[in-house]
Structure formats: C-alpha cells, structure tokens
Amino acid sequence: MDSKVLREITPLNENDFMYVADRHKKEFDYPIHIHDVLELNFVANAAGARRVVGDSSEVIDNLDLVLITSPDLEHVWEQYECKSEDIHEVTVQFRLNFDLNTSSFRFSSYKSIYDMLIRAQRGLAFPPEAIMLVYHRLARLSSIEEGFIAVQEFFSILYELSKFDDARELASSSFAKVEVVSESKRILKVKNYIDEHYKDDLSLEQLADLVGMTPTAFSRYFKQRTAKNISEYIVDIRLGHAARLLVDTSDSVSEICWATGFNTLSNFNRLFRKRKGCSPTEFREKYQKTKVIV
C-alpha cells in the first residue's frame, strides 16, 4: 500500500518563525495529514469530534489542546458526532530546532520546554486545567501585530504548558517511530531490548535477568517507573508496530499478527480492539478513508 497521507504545505517561509490561524467554523473537513513544522492546535466547542493522532483515536470534549512536534506523525480532527455550529480553532505552526547540540535548549532554563517538545513527538494532549490557563492567551495571539511580542508570548505559553507533567502522550512510540527515552538506565536497557525483539517470545524472567534483578523486584520497579506492568508495555509496543503496518503496507491482518509477536489471531484482534477501540480491519479502513493522494 503506497502512503496516501497528505503532506500539508505550510504558509511559513524560511524566514518566518510562526503562523497563527484563528478561525470559527461549522465542521472539520481537512483530511489526515503531516507537515514539516511543529504545531499547537486548540479546539473549543467541539464536543463529539474525533481526534486521531498516529494510532490514537479519541472523542474530545468541549476543549482540546494538542502539541505535535514530529514531521511524520499523521493527525486529523474529524466531525464524527460533533453537532456544534460554532467550532473555534486556533492553530499555531512554528519552526523550532530543539537539538541540544545546536539550539538554545541546551541551557537549563529551557529544560521543561525541551522535555515537552521531545514528548510531543508522539502528540501531547494537555489536561483541562492547562487549557484553561492558556485559552485566552492563545485566542489573542493572532491579534498581536508586533512579531517579536507575539513570539515572546508564544514562548511564554509553551513554558506554562511545559509545567504540566500530566499531559498525555497519544501515539505509541513504536507507531510514531520515536526514540525511547528514560531517566533510568535499567528501564532504558529493557525498553531498547523490547524494541529490538518485540517479535520474539519475551518473558519477565528474561528481562529481569537482563538488568540483574529478580523477576518480582523488576516487575515492581518497572511498574513504579512507567505506570505500566511489563506485559502491558510489550503489548502496546507490538500493537504500535501492528498499527503502523496496517497503515503503511497491504499485508493481511493475519500476516501482521504473526509479524508483530502475537501467538493467535483471536488474541491479536481482541487486544487491538481493547486498546484502539476498533478492529485491525476497521483501523485500516478508517485511515484509507481519511487519506488523500497528493
């Protein structure tokens, strides 16, 4: 299956830092897409709309705010069950190099923003209290005529958002193809091993031995550091790879099941539906329907 996802052409030219689109509309009609720039997207009064970011699909409430910093992460807001006649959307697209070796983010004062930008490679959804804190500032952003002041205000908004540790990553790391990061060397070693061997049979004993811990101690340690038990994490990684194959290839569902480490097709289908809210076939069809050829 050839990739049919729309690569959006941004209005930004090489000398621009950011572009702000503030609009009121009656429906979401833009197809699933990717773009080379970073994006902060705010949506108000659109309860019942569906937000798709990578392999994450969620029905949103009246307020939604998502940061996306990967150029290859598909995303779209769909009408779905939204009945609103006045959807308010503020989209900020911006260019920002957050390479620690070549940018200002190597300074400690920018660390929280840098950490947030890294997490947002999977798409980052902010909690209601964060949205309420910056809502009015985002709504005023397009009316600031002085470019320098507008950029300062936007960085201030990013800083305020970076304080919210409970913002949620949306796409799985394996679907988004982002590097696994962890403050724990033991956790990082195990996650990297799982990324390389997710197709194989993986046991708790095997992974615990990898970092010199007993299975019981390692299981407790992993859960404390990641908020997931090890079996849940392995399933999520496998499902992320499976979702990517459903989008990017024409392989059958059964072929993808075996290729991503699942032992039975029935178990694969059950876990996929439980995690993604639809069957593998429905997931593939949904992507095909919302993509366009360019």
Side-chain angles (χ1 to χ4, degrees):
M1 183 192 305
D2 294 330
S3 177
K4 299 177 182 178
V5 65
L6 172 66
R7 182 170 288 277
E8 180 183 356
I9 305 300
T10 175
L12 288 171
N13 64 46
E14 61 182 13
N15 295 318
D16 294 330
F17 170 71
M18 73 178 186
Y19 160 77
V20 183
D22 189 329
R23 51 196 176 270
H24 290 261
K25 59 187 186 182
K26 293 185 177 181
E27 63 178 348
F28 295 97
D29 55 8
Y30 201 72
I32 197 163
H33 60 282
I34 56 178
H35 39 65
D36 294 331
V37 294
L38 290 65
E39 179 177 284
L40 181 66
N41 198 59
F42 165 76
V43 177
N45 197 31
R50 178 165 56 195
R51 181 213 325 114
V52 177
V53 178
D55 55 342
S56 165
S57 177
E58 297 179 348
V59 177
I60 66 172
D61 209 336
N62 270 319
L63 292 174
D64 193 53
L65 181 63
V66 170
L67 177 64
I68 296 172
T69 60
S70 169
D72 299 311
L73 186 59
E74 302 94 330
H75 56 279
V76 68
W77 277 254
E78 299 174 327
Q79 194 67 20
Y80 196 50
E81 297 177 348
C82 177
K83 307 297 183 184
S84 174
E85 292 291 313
D86 183 24
I87 300 167
H88 185 200
E89 187 172 41
V90 180
T91 303
V92 185
Q93 293 187 338
F94 58 106
R95 299 187 189 279
L96 197 58
N97 172 22
F98 50 99
D99 184 337
L100 281 180
N101 296 317
T102 59
S103 73
S104 297
F105 289 103
R106 66 183 182 276
F107 300 120
S108 59
S109 53
Y110 287 94
K111 186 179 187 306
S112 65
I113 297 179
Y114 171 78
D115 291 343
M116 178 179 69
L117 295 175
I118 292 296
R119 294 179 64 201
Q121 292 178 101
R122 295 168 54 183
L124 199 61
F126 293 94
E129 54 269 28
I131 300 175
M132 293 304 297
L133 182 67
V134 302
Y135 169 28
H136 296 292
R137 296 172 67 182
L138 278 171
R140 291 194 300 266
L141 201 57
S142 64
S143 65
I144 301 176
E145 296 182 0
E146 181 62 43
F148 178 78
I149 302 301
V151 170
Q152 277 193 318
E153 173 66 0
F154 182 60
F155 262 96
S156 179
I157 290 171
L158 289 179
Y159 175 69
E160 292 297 335
L161 291 175
S162 73
K163 296 178 181 179
F164 287 86
D165 294 332
D166 54 344
R168 293 183 298 110
E169 288 107 334
L170 296 174
S172 62
S173 60
S174 48
F175 184 94
K177 300 179 181 178
V178 300
E179 182 180 353
V180 175
V181 294
S182 175
E183 294 180 358
S184 164
K185 291 182 179 180
R186 285 174 168 173
I187 296 296
L188 183 59
K189 185 175 183 178
V190 170
K191 285 185 173 182
N192 286 336
Y193 185 86
I194 293 171
D195 272 352
E196 293 174 7
H197 299 88
Y198 66 90
K199 300 177 184 180
D200 304 331
D201 288 332
L202 297 170
S203 68
L204 174 60
E205 291 76 14
Q206 174 189 4
L207 297 175
D209 186 61
L210 195 66
V211 291
M213 300 177 71
T214 66
T216 301
F218 173 70
S219 179
R220 187 184 309 113
Y221 182 77
F222 191 91
K223 181 69 177 287
Q224 288 173 342
R225 294 301 183 101
T226 68
K228 290 183 180 180
N229 65 47
I230 191 67
S231 60
E232 289 174 335
Y233 181 80
I234 293 171
V235 167
D236 285 346
I237 292 297
R238 287 172 172 166
L239 287 177
H241 283 290
R244 175 52 69 187
L245 289 173
L246 288 166
V247 171
D248 290 346
T249 77
S250 57
D251 294 350
S252 69
V253 171
S254 60
E255 287 174 325
I256 291 172
C257 165
W258 313 129
T260 51
F262 290 95
N263 293 324
T264 67
L265 185 58
S266 60
N267 189 46
F268 171 60
N269 285 326
R270 179 183 63 81
L271 289 170
F272 196 99
R273 181 178 290 279
K274 181 179 179 181
R275 295 289 210 283
K276 310 298 183 187
C278 62
S279 71
T281 299
E282 290 167 340
F283 181 88
R284 172 175 272 170
E285 289 175 349
K286 180 171 62 177
Y287 260 83
Q288 290 176 326
K289 286 178 182 178
T290 54
K291 290 184 179 182
V292 295
I293 299 175
V294 296

